[in-house]
């Protein structure tokens, strides 16, 4: 799937995703085009590490969440502030590692 131009979207986010150990093992790009109701995403699942794409996902309200089509685990798109906070915590914990 091709990524849209930002000015064609009403919502666009790219996030890294953590597995249950708090390690970043996945990534998602999620967007909604202007004048469309459904979201599209390109996902590398942090749990099963499978790649999947979807182009008519219905998300009601924030925080957005949906299930990985491969392993059925919940992918949660948290507030950006939360994930930055979380990442800082991890960085502090693994201060010798350059993430
Ligand atoms: Zn999965």
């Amino acid at each position: 799937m091709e990524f849209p131009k930002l000015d064609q979207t009403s919502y666009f986010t790219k996030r890294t995703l953590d597995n249950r150990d708090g390690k970043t093992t996945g990534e998602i790009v999620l967007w909604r085009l202007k004048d469309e109701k459904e979201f599209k995403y390109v996902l590398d699942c942090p749990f099963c590490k499978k790649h999947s794409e979807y182009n008519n996902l219905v998300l009601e309200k924030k925080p957005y969440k949906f299930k990985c089509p491969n392993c059925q685990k919940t992918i949660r798109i948290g507030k950006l502030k939360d994930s930055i906070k979380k990442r800082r915590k991890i960085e502090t914990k693994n201060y010798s590692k350059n993430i």
Side-chain angles (χ1 to χ4, degrees):
M1 203 188 303
E2 282 195 28
F3 296 134
K5 292 208 173 77
L6 274 186
D7 61 4
Q8 296 172 332
T9 63
S10 59
Y11 180 89
F12 184 95
T13 193
K14 184 179 182 206
R15 307 284 179 87
T16 55
L17 298 169
D18 297 346
N19 67 10
R20 287 188 199 282
D21 300 328
K23 286 199 179 116
T24 301
T25 51
E27 187 176 78
I28 185 164
V29 182
L30 174 74
W31 71 92
R32 184 175 58 191
L33 294 177
K34 279 176 185 166
D35 306 322
E36 282 188 15
K37 255 185 129 176
E38 287 90 15
F39 289 77
K40 303 178 197 297
Y41 69 71
V42 175
L43 168 72
D44 286 310
C45 178
F47 305 111
C48 65
K49 315 220 170 124
K50 290 230 166 77
H51 182 85
S52 59
E53 301 182 352
Y54 210 79
N55 57 22
N56 55 350
L57 178 73
V58 178
L59 294 170
E60 295 284 317
K61 57 184 174 188
K62 293 180 185 180
Y64 295 140
K65 56 183 174 183
F66 58 92
K67 286 195 165 74
C68 168
N70 289 301
C71 66
Q72 303 299 314
K73 290 208 167 76
T74 301
I75 307 293
R76 188 174 169 277
I77 312 292
K79 284 185 202 149
L80 202 51
K81 235 164 74 183
D82 289 352
S83 61
I84 288 169
K85 236 189 273 168
K86 207 169 142 201
R87 198 176 304 162
R88 284 221 183 99
K89 226 162 95 188
I90 291 165
E91 271 170 13
T92 316
K93 217 163 62 181
N94 303 328
Y95 56 90
S96 58
K97 249 190 262 167
N98 198 358
I99 304 173

PDB file of all heavy atoms in Angstrom, residues 58-88:
ATOM      1  N   VAL A  58     -12.771   0.626  10.705  1.00  0.00           N
ATOM      2  CA  VAL A  58     -13.632   1.605  11.355  1.00  0.00           C
ATOM      3  C   VAL A  58     -13.175   1.792  12.792  1.00  0.00           C
ATOM      4  O   VAL A  58     -13.116   0.839  13.559  1.00  0.00           O
ATOM      5  CB  VAL A  58     -15.110   1.158  11.320  1.00  0.00           C
ATOM      6  CG1 VAL A  58     -15.996   2.166  12.044  1.00  0.00           C
ATOM      7  CG2 VAL A  58     -15.570   0.972   9.886  1.00  0.00           C
ATOM      8  N   LEU A  59     -12.808   3.009  13.129  1.00  0.00           N
ATOM      9  CA  LEU A  59     -12.403   3.331  14.497  1.00  0.00           C
ATOM     10  C   LEU A  59     -13.341   4.401  15.016  1.00  0.00           C
ATOM     11  O   LEU A  59     -13.566   5.415  14.365  1.00  0.00           O
ATOM     12  CB  LEU A  59     -10.959   3.837  14.524  1.00  0.00           C
ATOM     13  CG  LEU A  59      -9.886   2.814  14.136  1.00  0.00           C
ATOM     14  CD1 LEU A  59      -8.546   3.515  13.979  1.00  0.00           C
ATOM     15  CD2 LEU A  59      -9.791   1.728  15.176  1.00  0.00           C
ATOM     16  N   GLU A  60     -13.880   4.153  16.207  1.00  0.00           N
ATOM     17  CA  GLU A  60     -14.905   5.051  16.711  1.00  0.00           C
ATOM     18  C   GLU A  60     -14.321   6.253  17.420  1.00  0.00           C
ATOM     19  O   GLU A  60     -14.533   7.384  17.052  1.00  0.00           O
ATOM     20  CB  GLU A  60     -15.833   4.289  17.660  1.00  0.00           C
ATOM     21  CG  GLU A  60     -16.627   3.193  16.963  1.00  0.00           C
ATOM     22  CD  GLU A  60     -17.784   3.749  16.141  1.00  0.00           C
ATOM     23  OE1 GLU A  60     -18.458   4.654  16.655  1.00  0.00           O
ATOM     24  OE2 GLU A  60     -18.003   3.284  15.007  1.00  0.00           O
ATOM     25  N   LYS A  61     -13.586   5.994  18.490  1.00  0.00           N
ATOM     26  CA  LYS A  61     -13.087   7.130  19.261  1.00  0.00           C
ATOM     27  C   LYS A  61     -11.743   6.782  19.868  1.00  0.00           C
ATOM     28  O   LYS A  61     -11.362   5.620  19.964  1.00  0.00           O
ATOM     29  CB  LYS A  61     -14.087   7.510  20.350  1.00  0.00           C
ATOM     30  CG  LYS A  61     -14.395   6.357  21.275  1.00  0.00           C
ATOM     31  CD  LYS A  61     -15.454   6.735  22.285  1.00  0.00           C
ATOM     32  CE  LYS A  61     -15.818   5.502  23.092  1.00  0.00           C
ATOM     33  NZ  LYS A  61     -16.940   5.658  23.964  1.00  0.00           N
ATOM     34  N   LYS A  62     -11.057   7.814  20.288  1.00  0.00           N
ATOM     35  CA  LYS A  62      -9.737   7.621  20.869  1.00  0.00           C
ATOM     36  C   LYS A  62      -9.854   7.100  22.297  1.00  0.00           C
ATOM     37  O   LYS A  62     -10.808   7.434  22.966  1.00  0.00           O
ATOM     38  CB  LYS A  62      -8.983   8.948  20.858  1.00  0.00           C
ATOM     39  CG  LYS A  62      -8.674   9.390  19.451  1.00  0.00           C
ATOM     40  CD  LYS A  62      -7.922  10.701  19.466  1.00  0.00           C
ATOM     41  CE  LYS A  62      -7.737  11.177  18.028  1.00  0.00           C
ATOM     42  NZ  LYS A  62      -7.030  12.425  17.917  1.00  0.00           N
ATOM     43  N   PRO A  63      -8.915   6.331  22.810  1.00  0.00           N
ATOM     44  CA  PRO A  63      -7.735   5.881  22.073  1.00  0.00           C
ATOM     45  C   PRO A  63      -8.086   4.800  21.064  1.00  0.00           C
ATOM     46  O   PRO A  63      -8.833   3.878  21.382  1.00  0.00           O
ATOM     47  CB  PRO A  63      -6.834   5.316  23.181  1.00  0.00           C
ATOM     48  CG  PRO A  63      -7.762   4.902  24.267  1.00  0.00           C
ATOM     49  CD  PRO A  63      -8.932   5.851  24.203  1.00  0.00           C
ATOM     50  N   TYR A  64      -7.601   4.949  19.861  1.00  0.00           N
ATOM     51  CA  TYR A  64      -7.889   3.983  18.809  1.00  0.00           C
ATOM     52  C   TYR A  64      -7.268   2.634  19.138  1.00  0.00           C
ATOM     53  O   TYR A  64      -6.122   2.562  19.560  1.00  0.00           O
ATOM     54  CB  TYR A  64      -7.327   4.482  17.479  1.00  0.00           C
ATOM     55  CG  TYR A  64      -7.966   5.728  16.976  1.00  0.00           C
ATOM     56  CD1 TYR A  64      -7.213   6.721  16.372  1.00  0.00           C
ATOM     57  CD2 TYR A  64      -9.344   5.924  17.085  1.00  0.00           C
ATOM     58  CE1 TYR A  64      -7.803   7.883  15.886  1.00  0.00           C
ATOM     59  CE2 TYR A  64      -9.940   7.075  16.614  1.00  0.00           C
ATOM     60  CZ  TYR A  64      -9.167   8.056  16.009  1.00  0.00           C
ATOM     61  OH  TYR A  64      -9.745   9.189  15.529  1.00  0.00           O
ATOM     62  N   LYS A  65      -8.022   1.590  18.948  1.00  0.00           N
ATOM     63  CA  LYS A  65      -7.444   0.257  19.106  1.00  0.00           C
ATOM     64  C   LYS A  65      -8.148  -0.734  18.206  1.00  0.00           C
ATOM     65  O   LYS A  65      -9.324  -0.567  17.880  1.00  0.00           O
ATOM     66  CB  LYS A  65      -7.469  -0.204  20.559  1.00  0.00           C
ATOM     67  CG  LYS A  65      -8.810  -0.191  21.205  1.00  0.00           C
ATOM     68  CD  LYS A  65      -8.676  -0.586  22.656  1.00  0.00           C
ATOM     69  CE  LYS A  65     -10.017  -0.429  23.353  1.00  0.00           C
ATOM     70  NZ  LYS A  65      -9.983  -0.705  24.754  1.00  0.00           N
ATOM     71  N   PHE A  66      -7.448  -1.745  17.812  1.00  0.00           N
ATOM     72  CA  PHE A  66      -8.000  -2.793  16.964  1.00  0.00           C
ATOM     73  C   PHE A  66      -7.145  -4.034  17.151  1.00  0.00           C
ATOM     74  O   PHE A  66      -6.093  -3.982  17.788  1.00  0.00           O
ATOM     75  CB  PHE A  66      -8.036  -2.349  15.499  1.00  0.00           C
ATOM     76  CG  PHE A  66      -6.690  -1.963  14.961  1.00  0.00           C
ATOM     77  CD1 PHE A  66      -5.899  -2.909  14.324  1.00  0.00           C
ATOM     78  CD2 PHE A  66      -6.216  -0.681  15.094  1.00  0.00           C
ATOM     79  CE1 PHE A  66      -4.654  -2.562  13.831  1.00  0.00           C
ATOM     80  CE2 PHE A  66      -4.967  -0.329  14.614  1.00  0.00           C
ATOM     81  CZ  PHE A  66      -4.184  -1.270  13.981  1.00  0.00           C
ATOM     82  N   LYS A  67      -7.615  -5.134  16.601  1.00  0.00           N
ATOM     83  CA  LYS A  67      -6.883  -6.382  16.793  1.00  0.00           C
ATOM     84  C   LYS A  67      -6.004  -6.684  15.592  1.00  0.00           C
ATOM     85  O   LYS A  67      -6.400  -6.468  14.452  1.00  0.00           O
ATOM     86  CB  LYS A  67      -7.883  -7.533  17.009  1.00  0.00           C
ATOM     87  CG  LYS A  67      -8.516  -7.482  18.376  1.00  0.00           C
ATOM     88  CD  LYS A  67      -9.186  -8.814  18.687  1.00  0.00           C
ATOM     89  CE  LYS A  67      -9.501  -8.941  20.150  1.00  0.00           C
ATOM     90  NZ  LYS A  67     -10.617  -8.142  20.598  1.00  0.00           N
ATOM     91  N   CYS A  68      -4.832  -7.207  15.862  1.00  0.00           N
ATOM     92  CA  CYS A  68      -3.964  -7.675  14.802  1.00  0.00           C
ATOM     93  C   CYS A  68      -4.677  -8.812  14.073  1.00  0.00           C
ATOM     94  O   CYS A  68      -5.145  -9.747  14.711  1.00  0.00           O
ATOM     95  CB  CYS A  68      -2.646  -8.169  15.385  1.00  0.00           C
ATOM     96  SG  CYS A  68      -1.650  -9.075  14.185  1.00  0.00           S
ATOM     97  N   PRO A  69      -4.798  -8.735  12.753  1.00  0.00           N
ATOM     98  CA  PRO A  69      -5.500  -9.793  12.019  1.00  0.00           C
ATOM     99  C   PRO A  69      -4.789 -11.143  12.091  1.00  0.00           C
ATOM    100  O   PRO A  69      -5.400 -12.180  11.836  1.00  0.00           O
ATOM    101  CB  PRO A  69      -5.544  -9.271  10.578  1.00  0.00           C
ATOM    102  CG  PRO A  69      -4.511  -8.206  10.501  1.00  0.00           C
ATOM    103  CD  PRO A  69      -4.314  -7.660  11.880  1.00  0.00           C
ATOM    104  N   ASN A  70      -3.535 -11.163  12.437  1.00  0.00           N
ATOM    105  CA  ASN A  70      -2.789 -12.423  12.503  1.00  0.00           C
ATOM    106  C   ASN A  70      -2.871 -13.090  13.860  1.00  0.00           C
ATOM    107  O   ASN A  70      -3.172 -14.265  13.968  1.00  0.00           O
ATOM    108  CB  ASN A  70      -1.326 -12.194  12.135  1.00  0.00           C
ATOM    109  CG  ASN A  70      -1.169 -11.896  10.660  1.00  0.00           C
ATOM    110  OD1 ASN A  70      -1.537 -12.700   9.820  1.00  0.00           O
ATOM    111  ND2 ASN A  70      -0.674 -10.717  10.351  1.00  0.00           N
ATOM    112  N   CYS A  71      -2.582 -12.336  14.929  1.00  0.00           N
ATOM    113  CA  CYS A  71      -2.519 -12.970  16.248  1.00  0.00           C
ATOM    114  C   CYS A  71      -3.662 -12.547  17.160  1.00  0.00           C
ATOM    115  O   CYS A  71      -3.764 -13.026  18.277  1.00  0.00           O
ATOM    116  CB  CYS A  71      -1.173 -12.680  16.914  1.00  0.00           C
ATOM    117  SG  CYS A  71      -0.926 -10.943  17.329  1.00  0.00           S
ATOM    118  N   GLN A  72      -4.511 -11.623  16.689  1.00  0.00           N
ATOM    119  CA  GLN A  72      -5.694 -11.178  17.445  1.00  0.00           C
ATOM    120  C   GLN A  72      -5.353 -10.413  18.712  1.00  0.00           C
ATOM    121  O   GLN A  72      -6.212 -10.196  19.554  1.00  0.00           O
ATOM    122  CB  GLN A  72      -6.617 -12.361  17.797  1.00  0.00           C
ATOM    123  CG  GLN A  72      -7.091 -13.151  16.592  1.00  0.00           C
ATOM    124  CD  GLN A  72      -7.901 -12.289  15.627  1.00  0.00           C
ATOM    125  OE1 GLN A  72      -8.768 -11.542  16.048  1.00  0.00           O
ATOM    126  NE2 GLN A  72      -7.586 -12.357  14.344  1.00  0.00           N
ATOM    127  N   LYS A  73      -4.092 -10.035  18.881  1.00  0.00           N
ATOM    128  CA  LYS A  73      -3.763  -9.207  20.042  1.00  0.00           C
ATOM    129  C   LYS A  73      -4.135  -7.768  19.743  1.00  0.00           C
ATOM    130  O   LYS A  73      -4.145  -7.333  18.591  1.00  0.00           O
ATOM    131  CB  LYS A  73      -2.275  -9.323  20.343  1.00  0.00           C
ATOM    132  CG  LYS A  73      -1.906 -10.693  20.885  1.00  0.00           C
ATOM    133  CD  LYS A  73      -0.671 -10.590  21.780  1.00  0.00           C
ATOM    134  CE  LYS A  73      -0.465 -11.853  22.564  1.00  0.00           C
ATOM    135  NZ  LYS A  73       0.086 -12.939  21.745  1.00  0.00           N
ATOM    136  N   THR A  74      -4.445  -7.044  20.797  1.00  0.00           N
ATOM    137  CA  THR A  74      -4.913  -5.674  20.619  1.00  0.00           C
ATOM    138  C   THR A  74      -3.758  -4.712  20.365  1.00  0.00           C
ATOM    139  O   THR A  74      -2.786  -4.687  21.118  1.00  0.00           O
ATOM    140  CB  THR A  74      -5.701  -5.220  21.860  1.00  0.00           C
ATOM    141  OG1 THR A  74      -6.803  -6.098  22.035  1.00  0.00           O
ATOM    142  CG2 THR A  74      -6.214  -3.796  21.702  1.00  0.00           C
ATOM    143  N   ILE A  75      -3.898  -3.965  19.298  1.00  0.00           N
ATOM    144  CA  ILE A  75      -2.957  -2.897  18.981  1.00  0.00           C
ATOM    145  C   ILE A  75      -3.609  -1.602  19.443  1.00  0.00           C
ATOM    146  O   ILE A  75      -4.724  -1.285  19.043  1.00  0.00           O
ATOM    147  CB  ILE A  75      -2.704  -2.818  17.456  1.00  0.00           C
ATOM    148  CG1 ILE A  75      -2.284  -4.166  16.884  1.00  0.00           C
ATOM    149  CG2 ILE A  75      -1.708  -1.715  17.134  1.00  0.00           C
ATOM    150  CD1 ILE A  75      -0.935  -4.660  17.337  1.00  0.00           C
ATOM    151  N   ARG A  76      -2.938  -0.887  20.276  1.00  0.00           N
ATOM    152  CA  ARG A  76      -3.529   0.316  20.836  1.00  0.00           C
ATOM    153  C   ARG A  76      -2.719   1.530  20.395  1.00  0.00           C
ATOM    154  O   ARG A  76      -1.498   1.546  20.534  1.00  0.00           O
ATOM    155  CB  ARG A  76      -3.531   0.214  22.359  1.00  0.00           C
ATOM    156  CG  ARG A  76      -4.291   1.299  23.055  1.00  0.00           C
ATOM    157  CD  ARG A  76      -4.338   0.991  24.549  1.00  0.00           C
ATOM    158  NE  ARG A  76      -4.835   2.135  25.296  1.00  0.00           N
ATOM    159  CZ  ARG A  76      -4.091   3.163  25.672  1.00  0.00           C
ATOM    160  NH1 ARG A  76      -2.821   3.194  25.378  1.00  0.00           N
ATOM    161  NH2 ARG A  76      -4.626   4.177  26.340  1.00  0.00           N
ATOM    162  N   ILE A  77      -3.425   2.496  19.846  1.00  0.00           N
ATOM    163  CA  ILE A  77      -2.772   3.736  19.459  1.00  0.00           C
ATOM    164  C   ILE A  77      -2.999   4.720  20.589  1.00  0.00           C
ATOM    165  O   ILE A  77      -4.050   5.351  20.678  1.00  0.00           O
ATOM    166  CB  ILE A  77      -3.380   4.309  18.148  1.00  0.00           C
ATOM    167  CG1 ILE A  77      -3.480   3.226  17.076  1.00  0.00           C
ATOM    168  CG2 ILE A  77      -2.577   5.503  17.663  1.00  0.00           C
ATOM    169  CD1 ILE A  77      -2.179   2.721  16.553  1.00  0.00           C
ATOM    170  N   GLY A  78      -2.054   4.793  21.471  1.00  0.00           N
ATOM    171  CA  GLY A  78      -2.210   5.672  22.618  1.00  0.00           C
ATOM    172  C   GLY A  78      -2.006   7.123  22.223  1.00  0.00           C
ATOM    173  O   GLY A  78      -1.687   7.432  21.083  1.00  0.00           O
ATOM    174  N   LYS A  79      -2.221   7.992  23.197  1.00  0.00           N
ATOM    175  CA  LYS A  79      -1.919   9.397  22.953  1.00  0.00           C
ATOM    176  C   LYS A  79      -0.427   9.531  22.724  1.00  0.00           C
ATOM    177  O   LYS A  79       0.371   8.861  23.366  1.00  0.00           O
ATOM    178  CB  LYS A  79      -2.314  10.231  24.168  1.00  0.00           C
ATOM    179  CG  LYS A  79      -3.790  10.465  24.283  1.00  0.00           C
ATOM    180  CD  LYS A  79      -4.050  11.394  25.458  1.00  0.00           C
ATOM    181  CE  LYS A  79      -5.463  11.247  25.964  1.00  0.00           C
ATOM    182  NZ  LYS A  79      -5.576  11.488  27.395  1.00  0.00           N
ATOM    183  N   LEU A  80      -0.084  10.456  21.847  1.00  0.00           N
ATOM    184  CA  LEU A  80       1.321  10.639  21.524  1.00  0.00           C
ATOM    185  C   LEU A  80       2.124  10.972  22.782  1.00  0.00           C
ATOM    186  O   LEU A  80       3.221  10.476  22.980  1.00  0.00           O
ATOM    187  CB  LEU A  80       1.451  11.758  20.479  1.00  0.00           C
ATOM    188  CG  LEU A  80       2.719  11.763  19.647  1.00  0.00           C
ATOM    189  CD1 LEU A  80       2.956  10.397  19.037  1.00  0.00           C
ATOM    190  CD2 LEU A  80       2.613  12.801  18.551  1.00  0.00           C
ATOM    191  N   LYS A  81       1.527  11.778  23.643  1.00  0.00           N
ATOM    192  CA  LYS A  81       2.212  12.182  24.868  1.00  0.00           C
ATOM    193  C   LYS A  81       2.581  10.954  25.719  1.00  0.00           C
ATOM    194  O   LYS A  81       3.676  10.869  26.241  1.00  0.00           O
ATOM    195  CB  LYS A  81       1.312  13.116  25.678  1.00  0.00           C
ATOM    196  CG  LYS A  81       1.973  14.433  25.994  1.00  0.00           C
ATOM    197  CD  LYS A  81       0.976  15.476  26.445  1.00  0.00           C
ATOM    198  CE  LYS A  81       0.494  15.222  27.846  1.00  0.00           C
ATOM    199  NZ  LYS A  81      -0.533  16.199  28.263  1.00  0.00           N
ATOM    200  N   ASP A  82       1.631  10.013  25.815  1.00  0.00           N
ATOM    201  CA  ASP A  82       1.868   8.806  26.604  1.00  0.00           C
ATOM    202  C   ASP A  82       3.052   8.022  26.074  1.00  0.00           C
ATOM    203  O   ASP A  82       3.887   7.576  26.827  1.00  0.00           O
ATOM    204  CB  ASP A  82       0.643   7.897  26.580  1.00  0.00           C
ATOM    205  CG  ASP A  82      -0.491   8.491  27.382  1.00  0.00           C
ATOM    206  OD1 ASP A  82      -0.245   9.514  28.047  1.00  0.00           O
ATOM    207  OD2 ASP A  82      -1.601   7.959  27.329  1.00  0.00           O
ATOM    208  N   SER A  83       3.077   7.844  24.746  1.00  0.00           N
ATOM    209  CA  SER A  83       4.129   6.981  24.206  1.00  0.00           C
ATOM    210  C   SER A  83       5.489   7.661  24.330  1.00  0.00           C
ATOM    211  O   SER A  83       6.495   7.004  24.497  1.00  0.00           O
ATOM    212  CB  SER A  83       3.822   6.591  22.764  1.00  0.00           C
ATOM    213  OG  SER A  83       3.760   7.716  21.955  1.00  0.00           O
ATOM    214  N   ILE A  84       5.512   8.986  24.252  1.00  0.00           N
ATOM    215  CA  ILE A  84       6.789   9.680  24.447  1.00  0.00           C
ATOM    216  C   ILE A  84       7.252   9.507  25.890  1.00  0.00           C
ATOM    217  O   ILE A  84       8.407   9.194  26.151  1.00  0.00           O
ATOM    218  CB  ILE A  84       6.661  11.180  24.093  1.00  0.00           C
ATOM    219  CG1 ILE A  84       6.529  11.339  22.582  1.00  0.00           C
ATOM    220  CG2 ILE A  84       7.875  11.956  24.595  1.00  0.00           C
ATOM    221  CD1 ILE A  84       6.129  12.720  22.141  1.00  0.00           C
ATOM    222  N   LYS A  85       6.302   9.649  26.803  1.00  0.00           N
ATOM    223  CA  LYS A  85       6.625   9.465  28.216  1.00  0.00           C
ATOM    224  C   LYS A  85       7.173   8.063  28.461  1.00  0.00           C
ATOM    225  O   LYS A  85       8.173   7.871  29.138  1.00  0.00           O
ATOM    226  CB  LYS A  85       5.347   9.659  29.056  1.00  0.00           C
ATOM    227  CG  LYS A  85       5.497  10.730  30.127  1.00  0.00           C
ATOM    228  CD  LYS A  85       4.316  10.724  31.060  1.00  0.00           C
ATOM    229  CE  LYS A  85       3.168  11.575  30.566  1.00  0.00           C
ATOM    230  NZ  LYS A  85       1.907  11.378  31.287  1.00  0.00           N
ATOM    231  N   LYS A  86       6.475   7.086  27.866  1.00  0.00           N
ATOM    232  CA  LYS A  86       6.864   5.701  28.042  1.00  0.00           C
ATOM    233  C   LYS A  86       8.259   5.465  27.470  1.00  0.00           C
ATOM    234  O   LYS A  86       9.073   4.787  28.072  1.00  0.00           O
ATOM    235  CB  LYS A  86       5.851   4.811  27.313  1.00  0.00           C
ATOM    236  CG  LYS A  86       5.720   3.435  27.895  1.00  0.00           C
ATOM    237  CD  LYS A  86       4.517   2.772  27.266  1.00  0.00           C
ATOM    238  CE  LYS A  86       4.780   1.325  27.011  1.00  0.00           C
ATOM    239  NZ  LYS A  86       3.897   0.769  26.005  1.00  0.00           N
ATOM    240  N   ARG A  87       8.493   6.054  26.306  1.00  0.00           N
ATOM    241  CA  ARG A  87       9.791   5.850  25.676  1.00  0.00           C
ATOM    242  C   ARG A  87      10.897   6.468  26.532  1.00  0.00           C
ATOM    243  O   ARG A  87      11.959   5.912  26.679  1.00  0.00           O
ATOM    244  CB  ARG A  87       9.785   6.475  24.274  1.00  0.00           C
ATOM    245  CG  ARG A  87      10.908   5.939  23.426  1.00  0.00           C
ATOM    246  CD  ARG A  87      10.851   6.482  22.021  1.00  0.00           C
ATOM    247  NE  ARG A  87       9.577   6.208  21.382  1.00  0.00           N
ATOM    248  CZ  ARG A  87       9.152   6.860  20.294  1.00  0.00           C
ATOM    249  NH1 ARG A  87       9.855   7.813  19.770  1.00  0.00           N
ATOM    250  NH2 ARG A  87       7.998   6.554  19.751  1.00  0.00           N
ATOM    251  N   ARG A  88      10.613   7.630  27.111  1.00  0.00           N
ATOM    252  CA  ARG A  88      11.612   8.255  27.987  1.00  0.00           C
ATOM    253  C   ARG A  88      11.951   7.319  29.141  1.00  0.00           C
ATOM    254  O   ARG A  88      13.103   7.197  29.517  1.00  0.00           O
ATOM    255  CB  ARG A  88      11.051   9.572  28.555  1.00  0.00           C
ATOM    256  CG  ARG A  88      11.083  10.658  27.535  1.00  0.00           C
ATOM    257  CD  ARG A  88      11.526  11.994  28.116  1.00  0.00           C
ATOM    258  NE  ARG A  88      11.465  13.001  27.078  1.00  0.00           N
ATOM    259  CZ  ARG A  88      10.459  13.857  26.934  1.00  0.00           C
ATOM    260  NH1 ARG A  88       9.462  13.865  27.786  1.00  0.00           N
ATOM    261  NH2 ARG A  88      10.456  14.710  25.949  1.00  0.00           N
TER     262      ARG A  88
END
